[in-house]
Amino acid sequence: MKILHLAIAGADQRGVHRKLAEQVSTMRRCGTTVESCVVVDSSVAAIPEDAPYALFDVPGGGYSARSRDEAFAHFRALVDTFAPDVVYMRYPVYDAHVAAFVAHAPPVVFELQTIFANEVPEGAAAAEAQWASRVLPITAGLVAVTLEILEAELMRASSALPGHVMPNGADPRTIPFTTPRLSTSRIDVLCVASFYAWHGVDRLIVGMVAEPDVSDVHLHLVGDGPTIPALRTLVSEAGLEARVHFHGAMPVAALDDWYAQAHVAIGSLAPHRVGLRELAALKHREYVLRGIPMIFAGGDADFSVPPPWLRVVPADDSPVSPRLLRALALAWSAESRRRQIRAWGEAHLSWDVKIPRLLEFLSSVAAVEPAGALFLA
């Protein structure tokens, strides 16, 4: 089977590029012939080095009107020269370009990471929905990182489409176990992210205010993002400047030291703010492979039965208790216990586990017309 793998991704979306690279590399290890192209704009950030896919570098990165023209013209040329059996494309936002491309290409399967309408203004959602009504009837299949997202997209299709649930994965080859170097005088809690509302770290800050007697828990925020100014204001108003630390964005290589010092990692604490019951956050998977106990809110398909080193809190706006984090930290500080976390991640979260079922699904889509079966992981 020949797969043409396509995506549009910001040059600064390091987690997305890591995922794309790991997916492509794993597909090839499985013996599949894969041609891959990712559209970027190198003026935004340094483009990935040694990526296992071709980079189509264009000002606008496939998001502006002109660059979108260029991106989809390039995609059509790849279809014509590579002649794939199936096109596997990261959701590009449906529009006229996408409709024309799907009509031109062999069977096209989209991979969805979110419910688009939940994250954009009403006008943009309405425009996308109009194009969805044209794109989905000629789409061969859908892959989504959660069942909730898949069901929402299938509801928009005018006819049954094959669907496959594949939560995000991670690659133990590129994410090493981190030997802990933990403070014995305080509990260091870490969140690495581009901070948006759904990360919900304000819930923990409010929890720190509500439990002033738990004074040894320190929160480290590594990364930037649109909610950082509001979080700084909240910390200042709460008088927590000495215990909530803003470190800004850092190179990937600099994160190793932060992971080594982290007693507990913070996943997404507010999926409900983007209308979701569950997420499949890439960061959750990296924390596990690093061997760090973790907390998040709501659901994640890979953790339907929470392991003992995971705490799942309700997906609402209630405070998150630092006392809960302290207890988790103290129970999972030993290196031997953290290696148990890593071993669980290798067995359940690796792309080596997930990609073979994806390839089976793509092969079924390439072989026959969509039959409407729901193909669940």
Side-chain angles (χ1 to χ4, degrees):
M1 179 172 57
K2 295 170 64 177
I3 298 173
L4 178 60
H5 175 266
L6 302 174
I8 296 171
D12 56 346
Q13 294 180 293
R14 294 180 298 188
V16 172
H17 281 277
R18 167 178 274 181
K19 172 183 174 176
L20 295 171
E22 292 174 351
Q23 284 185 321
V24 170
S25 297
T26 308
M27 287 181 188
R28 289 173 177 157
R29 281 197 301 272
C30 290
T32 303
T33 301
V34 181
E35 182 81 13
S36 180
C37 179
V38 180
V39 177
V40 295
D41 180 351
S42 62
S43 69
V44 173
I47 58 179
E49 297 181 2
D50 302 322
Y53 43 76
L55 290 163
F56 185 66
D57 186 7
V58 57
Y63 296 104
S64 68
R66 181 172 179 177
S67 67
R68 208 157 172 85
D69 288 342
E70 296 182 56
F72 279 89
H74 186 66
F75 289 163
R76 287 192 296 272
L78 289 173
V79 167
D80 292 340
T81 56
F82 181 58
D85 298 305
V86 64
V87 175
Y88 185 52
M89 178 179 253
R90 182 178 173 88
Y91 169 72
V93 182
Y94 304 139
D95 64 3
H97 293 93
V98 178
F101 176 74
V102 175
H104 172 85
V108 177
V109 174
F110 292 111
E111 181 189 282
L112 301 114
Q113 296 77 41
T114 190
I115 299 174
F116 180 77
N118 291 355
E119 299 189 13
V120 297
E122 185 176 338
E128 187 271 354
Q130 288 186 338
W131 283 109
S133 67
R134 304 187 190 187
V135 171
L136 289 172
I138 54 174
T139 297
L142 300 170
V143 175
V145 296
T146 72
L147 179 59
E148 179 183 17
I149 292 171
L150 177 60
E151 289 178 338
E153 197 70 354
L154 290 173
M155 286 289 291
R156 303 203 301 170
S158 58
S159 58
L161 286 176
H164 175 55
V165 176
M166 182 179 70
N168 283 319
D171 189 351
R173 299 170 184 82
T174 61
I175 301 175
F177 174 78
T178 301
T179 302
R181 299 193 309 274
L182 306 177
S183 170
T184 57
S185 61
R186 69 186 204 180
I187 302 299
D188 289 308
V189 176
L190 176 68
C191 186
V192 179
S194 295
F195 290 92
Y196 287 84
W198 60 82
H199 290 103
V201 292
D202 56 287
R203 296 183 61 190
L204 178 53
I205 295 169
V206 173
M208 294 169 75
V209 174
E211 298 180 2
D213 57 312
V214 186
S215 59
D216 59 345
V217 172
H218 285 244
L219 174 60
H220 299 272
L221 304 179
V222 176
D224 51 20
T227 61
I228 288 293
L231 291 173
R232 287 186 179 275
T233 299
L234 178 61
V235 168
S236 177
E237 292 174 348
L240 288 173
E241 294 95 332
R243 292 175 51 212
V244 179
H245 312 277
F246 296 86
H247 301 287
M250 294 187 178
V252 173
L255 296 178
D256 289 348
D257 287 340
W258 288 106
Y259 290 130
Q261 298 172 53
H263 288 81
V264 175
I266 303 296
S268 295
L269 293 175
H272 62 287
R273 294 178 183 171
V274 286
L276 296 175
R277 297 188 303 271
E278 60 179 354
L279 295 172
L282 291 167
K283 193 57 63 180
H284 295 172
R285 285 128 182 92
E286 180 167 4
Y287 291 150
V288 171
L289 289 179
R290 292 282 185 172
I292 308 172
M294 176 176 61
I295 179 173
F296 63 68
D300 187 310
D302 281 329
F303 303 88
S304 56
V305 178
W309 40 263
L310 171 65
R311 296 294 179 270
V312 180
V313 297
D316 56 31
D317 291 323
S318 62
V320 172
S321 167
R323 183 172 282 104
L324 173 71
L325 300 186
R326 179 207 271 163
L328 181 62
L330 295 177
W332 291 88
S333 294
E335 180 177 342
S336 60
R337 302 210 80 191
R338 290 185 165 220
R339 288 194 179 275
Q340 294 177 31
I341 301 175
R342 166 74 180 200
W344 187 95
E346 290 175 344
H348 294 86
L349 304 179
S350 170
W351 288 116
D352 290 341
V353 176
K354 298 169 181 289
I355 290 297
R357 284 185 60 78
L358 171 66
L359 295 177
E360 180 184 347
F361 173 72
L362 294 179
S363 179
S364 70
V365 167
V368 297
E369 290 296 317
L374 187 62
F375 188 95
L376 301 181

